[in-house]
Amino acid sequence: MIKTGDKLICTSGNDFYAEGHVYTVGDFVNDKFFEIPTGCNDEYWYATRDSSGICIHFDTMATKVRNAHFDKLNNQIYA
C-alpha cells in the first residue's frame, strides 16, 4: 500500500525523474492516481500502481518521453 509521504526511488528515469533519486508521494487524486513531485517549480505528474509496479506513463503521440518507474523504499532502508 502506498500513502502520502512514502518515499519512492526512481528505477527508470526520463527528462522529469532521475534514476536513483528519491521522491516523496504527494496527494492522492483518487484510489488509482497519486502525485509525485518532480522537484522543480512545484510541478508533479500522476503516478499509478498496478501489477507491473509504480509508474508514470508518458506514452503520447506528441512526446517521446519514456515512462518513469519507481520502487517503494521501506523505512529501514531510507532511515
Side-chain angles (χ1 to χ4, degrees):
M1 171 169 237
I2 297 174
K3 59 187 183 298
T4 298
D6 282 349
K7 303 295 182 189
L8 305 177
I9 188 164
C10 181
T11 58
S12 177
N14 59 25
D15 294 344
F16 302 100
Y17 296 94
E19 187 171 331
H21 192 271
V22 175
Y23 297 90
T24 303
V25 174
D27 293 331
F28 276 75
V29 177
N30 55 36
D31 61 339
K32 184 174 180 178
F33 293 102
F34 54 93
E35 299 172 352
I36 299 181
T38 63
C40 180
N41 298 328
D42 295 326
E43 293 179 4
Y44 57 85
W45 291 88
Y46 295 115
T48 189
R49 183 176 190 174
D50 57 25
S51 60
S52 63
I54 303 166
C55 183
I56 299 177
H57 296 280
F58 288 90
D59 358 332
T60 66
M61 297 298 284
T63 67
K64 303 237 183 227
V65 178
R66 295 185 321 211
N67 292 342
H69 298 272
F70 304 84
D71 280 336
K72 183 178 175 187
L73 292 176
N74 67 35
N75 292 335
Q76 295 164 343
I77 292 174
Y78 188 72

